[in-house]
Amino acid sequence: MKWKKFKKERISLNYTVMLLPHSQKEPIHFKTPVWTFGIFFIALLVLTGTCLFFAGSHHQLNVVQKEKEHLEREWELLAAQKELEDQENEMLKKAREEQELALKELEQKTRDTLSELEELVAREDQIRQELGLQQMLTEGDTDESGTQSGQTQETLSESYQPGDATLSSNYKVRVTSRELPEAYAKNTADFQAIQSELGRLQSSLSEKTGQYDSYLTMIENKRQAEAEEKARREAVRNSIVEYALQFVGNAYVYGGNDPHTGVDCSGFTRYILSNKAGVYLNRTAASQSSQGRAISPEEARPGDLVFYSGGGGINHVAIYIGNGRIVHASTEKTGIITSNMYYRTPAKVVNMLGD
């Protein structure tokens, strides 16, 4: 009797609910067990926690998606800038080739002019030697009346007109020898003008060459930076593999998050990539498979994630370590082990590092 009384008074809770108070004279009384109220309260807490968890996960996924879109826009901008620089580089190369061609033509013209000048000087020397101009000057000094001879030569020289065929050959030779220095001076002026133009083109060529070398240096620096970034990413991938292999042999614990004490497959990948690459991953294998960039199994590189399906969706994930092998938290019996990538057919391979 005491137990029944205790059960009646303690186990059940009394509730009084008044329904339609204006139409009924007495309220409605009913009792409900304490455990029913407890179950309802726990279910409410679980529902609230689940809603908060999914809201937080959705927010984090949106943040990651925005960061990915921002990086893709930056990459497109860099690609467009590189294409523009390549076009400018091609234009500079063409301009340099045109200037080199013009320089070669000018050098050839200069050599031709020098050759013509040398021929002209040699011809003048030959004419002087053949006509004996020096002998003509000495013959004038042996004349009995030297003053009269000089006056006669001056008079004849002043009366000379081009094309006058009545003068003697001696005086015609004297006039021809005076015209040769004028022709020589004219060719010298042409040569100096060519040299001036050559100097101007050489200066312009040096300026363009400096610009071209500057662009080449900038392009080389950019390529070097890209190579350094590629090497850094490869180093990150190698560090992921080395770090993951340190835990081979440790325990598998369903729901575990730390490979030192025990971890499951998705907890293992989440821990490794977070600590070695700063990459945030969702908690389960199925949700992790929706992140990153999907690639083919042939494109897999060390540090990529390999997902497996059990027929009803993604249920396992591993880290690719190269040479067709993976490291993963397999089962409670085997723990963390390395396996062949195709010990099961991969359902999806994902690049989580964004390179």
Side-chain angles (χ1 to χ4, degrees):
M1 293 299 293
K2 292 181 179 181
W3 166 248
K4 290 182 178 180
K5 183 178 180 181
F6 174 78
K7 181 177 180 181
K8 182 178 180 181
E9 294 178 355
R10 302 295 181 182
I11 302 301
S12 301
L13 296 178
N14 295 324
Y15 291 92
T16 301
V17 178
M18 182 175 288
L19 302 175
L20 302 175
H22 297 291
S23 62
Q24 295 182 8
K25 297 180 180 181
E26 295 181 358
I28 297 174
H29 298 273
F30 64 92
K31 296 180 180 181
T32 180
V34 174
W35 59 268
T36 304
F37 178 79
I39 290 175
F40 175 76
F41 181 73
I42 292 172
L44 182 61
L45 288 179
V46 171
L47 179 61
T48 304
T50 304
C51 292
L52 291 175
F53 173 77
F54 280 107
S57 300
H58 182 70
H59 173 72
Q60 190 65 31
L61 183 62
N62 289 337
V63 171
V64 172
Q65 184 66 26
K66 290 180 180 179
E67 291 179 355
K68 178 184 176 183
E69 292 175 355
H70 177 68
L71 290 175
E72 289 177 350
R73 286 195 297 269
E74 289 185 350
W75 176 257
E76 292 175 356
L77 181 61
L78 289 175
Q81 185 177 359
K82 183 178 183 298
E83 184 177 359
L84 180 61
E85 291 175 354
D86 291 340
Q87 292 176 356
E88 292 179 353
N89 186 20
E90 291 295 329
M91 293 176 62
L92 286 173
K93 284 183 178 180
K94 291 181 180 179
R96 183 174 181 178
E97 291 174 356
E98 292 176 356
Q99 289 183 351
E100 289 178 351
L101 181 61
L103 180 61
K104 290 180 180 179
E105 293 177 353
L106 183 58
E107 290 177 349
Q108 183 62 39
K109 185 177 180 180
T110 302
R111 286 193 292 267
D112 294 341
T113 303
L114 289 174
S115 178
E116 292 177 359
L117 289 174
E118 290 175 356
E119 292 178 358
L120 184 61
V121 172
R123 183 180 178 185
E124 181 182 6
D125 293 338
Q126 183 180 3
I127 292 174
R128 288 178 181 274
Q129 292 175 2
E130 289 179 354
L131 298 181
L133 294 178
Q134 298 297 332
Q135 294 178 1
M136 289 169 53
L137 294 175
T138 55
E139 288 176 358
D141 293 337
T142 57
D143 197 334
E144 292 180 357
S145 57
T147 302
Q148 182 178 1
S149 174
Q151 291 177 351
T152 304
Q153 290 175 0
E154 183 178 357
T155 303
L156 291 174
S157 298
E158 291 176 354
S159 63
Y160 168 75
Q161 298 294 331
D164 189 353
T166 61
L167 295 178
S168 65
S169 61
N170 289 337
Y171 295 105
K172 288 183 181 180
V173 170
R174 182 180 294 276
V175 173
T176 303
S177 65
R178 289 176 181 177
E179 292 177 351
L180 288 175
E182 295 178 0
Y184 180 78
K186 182 178 182 299
N187 283 280
T188 301
D190 292 340
F191 175 69
Q192 291 175 349
I194 292 173
Q195 282 186 324
S196 176
E197 179 67 14
L198 178 62
R200 186 187 68 80
L201 290 176
Q202 286 176 338
S203 177
S204 177
L205 179 61
S206 299
E207 180 181 357
K208 294 294 184 181
T209 302
Q211 294 177 356
Y212 176 73
D213 293 339
S214 175
Y215 276 107
L216 284 181
T217 302
M218 183 173 62
I219 293 172
E220 183 63 27
N221 291 338
K222 187 174 181 180
R223 288 176 178 173
Q224 184 177 358
E226 291 176 351
E228 292 175 355
E229 178 64 16
K230 182 179 180 180
R232 186 191 68 80
R233 290 181 179 273
E234 290 299 325
V236 170
R237 288 180 173 274
N238 292 332
S239 67
I240 290 174
V241 173
E242 293 175 0
Y243 189 59
L245 291 176
Q246 293 179 3
F247 299 104
V248 172
N250 287 13
Y252 174 98
V253 175
Y254 180 77
N257 294 302
D258 190 343
H260 295 90
T261 57
V263 68
D264 60 12
C265 64
S266 57
F268 180 62
T269 57
R270 189 169 188 256
Y271 183 89
I272 297 298
L273 266 68
S274 174
N275 284 275
K276 278 300 174 182
V279 176
Y280 172 83
L281 293 180
N282 296 329
R283 181 58 186 86
T284 65
S287 59
Q288 288 180 9
S289 66
S290 65
Q291 298 178 252
R293 177 173 60 88
I295 57 177
S296 66
E298 293 75 17
E299 295 175 314
R301 291 186 292 167
D304 291 336
L305 299 187
V306 183
F307 294 89
Y308 299 90
S309 173
I314 301 297
N315 64 356
H316 190 64
V317 60
I319 300 175
Y320 184 73
I321 60 175
N323 297 323
R325 299 192 64 78
I326 57 174
V327 59
H328 56 137
S330 180
T331 63
E332 293 181 354
K333 181 179 179 180
T334 59
I336 300 175
I337 60 173
T338 61
S339 305
N340 187 289
M341 176 182 177
Y342 293 96
Y343 86 104
R344 290 166 59 186
T345 302
K348 190 175 185 180
V349 180
V350 175
N351 177 354
M352 293 291 183
L353 302 180
D355 57 354

